[in-house]
Amino acid sequence: MAGPTPHGVPTGPAAASGAASVRGDLADLLRAQLEDVADEVEEEVRRQVPEYARPADGAYGRNLRAGVVQALTLFVDHIADPRGQGAAIAATYYELGRGEAVEGRSLDALQSALRVGGLHAWRLMGRTAEELGLDSTTVTALGELAFRTVHEVAEAAAAGYAEAQSHSTDELARRRRRLLELLLGDGPVSPEAVQDLAHGARWRVPAQVAVVTLAAPADPNAGEPPQAMPGALVDMESRPPRVLVPDPEGSGRFGSRSFTLGLQGRPAAIGPTVPVTEAARSLRWATRALGLMGRGILPRQGVVRCADHLSTLLLHSDEPVLDRLQARALAPLDAASEGQRPRLAETLLAWLLSGSNVPDVAARLHIHPQTVRYRLRQLEKLFGDALHDPDTRLDLILALRSTPTLTSEQ
């Protein structure tokens, strides 16, 4: 005894012939109504999906109309021949999905339109099926076929969207790299060039920026930049890796816990906040600060802000000159023994910074005031009256402050 097919139509020689006739009649009737149904479906989509509620003229309106007609055609073709694949129509929806991605829109609107349109089309076409007097089993099978059609075109649209988004993401990353190279390069930067590249990179041009340079992470597996920094331009391939942060002063990002956690234990230096066309200057200072962190002149761990260490950065902006200053200003210490020099140097710096106040020096160095006086007598013998000369005192402070072993203690 013959049983029903998956589409609810009886099998067997006679039944097959009858089913084919029913499908043919229904397909012909629906095809004749297709344009009218398309009008109503298009109107319903525009009414329920805000993204499609725009004038019908223009490329967007034509694409919507073509998509509706193609989906209805696919449904009718499935009725006429359930084995049909509808490859050409699937290709149409593939291109529709690609178009949404290229235009930077979400796929949600297109998927909503497919659901709304499919449901409304089935209501309209279901009435026609009932008018033909088809039994409930066949009507139910046609409903399943309608939703199969919606599923097919939705999958095609999603595939097109994913393919275009992949290419779009790669292209966007390439454009942002070019923008970052312009901003951090050695040549002059014009506002017009920045605006032009920023438009293609979908990057809002801020008034000010700061550059963060990153050291090697404490965790070898942590190779990613801070995550909670919307709008940042990132270059992890450079040495050192750098992150350009827009409007840093207004965002409060650098002081946030999420920023610290995002570093994953990676030491970082934050350059000064500068106008966007002077981003390279922020990079230079951040890179210099990171180098001083590695040498122990600035704290080796955590986050160092250049704005908090301007005098140290200034001192080390010309290392050869600094070397000469240290050699000349600290030459008298060469007469002391190798073991005495570090103690005398730290005492001298503390004395100069505390306004020559012995109790303050003792408290700063955690030693007895008498020990301070003893060391000061030794320093008087080495430096003589020069210790009381304002210019010499300034040179000594600069020379001693740039000594790594003393920087962390004072």
Side-chain angles (χ1 to χ4, degrees):
M1 181 176 176
T5 69
H7 296 292
V9 180
T11 60
S17 175
S21 176
V22 169
R23 287 199 304 268
D25 292 346
L26 179 58
D28 289 342
L29 184 57
L30 293 177
R31 209 181 303 277
Q33 298 177 348
L34 196 143
E35 288 296 330
D36 291 338
V37 172
D39 288 340
E40 291 196 41
V41 170
E42 184 180 354
E43 183 179 346
E44 186 70 9
V45 169
R46 292 185 188 281
R47 187 178 68 83
Q48 291 200 39
V49 185
E51 290 83 353
Y52 287 86
R54 60 179 72 185
D57 56 345
Y60 202 80
R62 289 193 297 272
N63 287 340
L64 172 60
R65 175 68 180 190
V68 170
V69 172
Q70 292 275 26
L72 293 174
T73 301
L74 178 60
F75 174 56
V76 173
D77 287 345
H78 275 327
I79 294 174
D81 180 7
R83 295 166 298 180
Q85 299 301 311
I89 294 174
T92 297
Y93 272 83
Y94 185 91
E95 290 303 317
L96 280 174
R98 284 189 79 258
E100 294 295 283
V102 170
E103 293 297 323
R105 291 188 289 266
S106 166
L107 185 61
D108 294 343
L110 180 57
Q111 300 286 32
S112 295
L114 290 174
R115 288 191 295 271
V116 169
L119 182 59
H120 194 66
W122 168 240
R123 289 196 189 106
L124 297 174
M125 291 184 161
R127 292 176 197 158
T128 301
E130 290 177 358
E131 289 170 2
L132 283 177
L134 299 179
D135 60 79
S136 60
T137 302
T138 303
V139 172
T140 300
L142 289 173
E144 293 174 356
L145 186 60
F147 288 105
R148 169 187 159 191
T149 303
V150 171
H151 177 71
E152 286 181 10
V153 296
E155 278 197 332
Y161 187 90
E163 187 269 341
Q165 194 172 50
S166 174
H167 286 294
S168 176
T169 299
D170 292 343
E171 177 63 17
L172 188 64
R174 187 184 68 81
R175 291 180 180 181
R176 291 197 168 190
R177 281 195 299 271
R178 285 184 57 202
L179 174 61
L180 193 58
E181 288 169 2
L182 170 71
L183 292 172
L184 301 183
D186 295 329
V189 179
S190 71
E192 294 77 16
V194 174
Q195 287 286 355
D196 185 50
L197 283 181
H199 177 74
R202 298 180 190 171
W203 189 69
R204 183 186 64 80
V205 180
Q208 295 182 311
V209 296
V211 177
V212 180
T213 53
L214 306 171
D219 178 0
N221 297 318
E224 296 301 318
Q227 297 300 308
M229 300 177 70
L233 298 177
V234 180
D235 181 5
M236 294 300 290
E237 302 301 319
S238 65
R239 291 295 177 268
R242 60 242 186 132
V243 181
L244 184 143
V245 181
D247 294 325
E249 301 303 324
S251 64
R253 290 168 172 166
F254 297 139
S256 68
R257 185 169 180 268
S258 59
F259 174 75
T260 304
L261 291 175
L263 290 174
Q264 297 176 312
R266 182 192 291 263
I270 302 173
T273 297
V274 296
V276 67
T277 55
E278 299 177 23
R281 182 159 59 89
S282 183
L283 171 64
R284 285 194 294 273
W285 284 104
T287 302
R288 182 171 299 159
L290 194 65
L292 295 178
M293 291 171 68
R295 292 162 55 188
I297 295 170
L298 291 175
R300 291 182 181 273
Q301 299 300 321
V303 179
V304 168
R305 299 192 66 149
C306 287
D308 298 333
H309 301 275
L310 294 178
S311 59
T312 301
L313 289 165
L314 179 61
L315 277 174
H316 289 270
S317 62
D318 193 328
E319 297 277 1
V321 171
L322 180 58
D323 291 341
R324 287 178 176 270
L325 173 65
Q326 287 176 322
R328 182 175 64 81
L330 303 179
L333 287 176
D334 293 340
S337 68
E338 189 173 343
Q340 285 181 314
R341 283 176 209 155
R343 293 192 293 271
L344 291 175
E346 72 172 0
T347 302
L348 177 57
L349 179 58
W351 181 71
L352 291 167
L353 294 177
S354 63
S356 307
N357 187 294
V358 171
D360 284 353
V361 175
R364 183 188 289 259
L365 300 181
H366 308 290
I367 58 178
H368 196 279
Q370 192 60 35
T371 302
V372 175
R373 293 188 182 94
Y374 171 74
R375 292 180 184 177
L376 287 175
R377 286 195 294 271
Q378 290 179 293
L379 290 167
E380 289 278 1
K381 292 178 182 179
L382 294 172
F383 286 90
D385 293 338
L387 283 181
H388 305 286
D389 176 68
D391 291 336
T392 301
R393 290 167 70 98
L394 177 60
D395 287 349
L396 285 169
I397 291 173
L398 295 177
L400 291 166
R401 283 299 299 266
S402 61
T403 303
T405 55
L406 299 178
T407 304
S408 60
E409 297 175 4
Q410 301 300 327

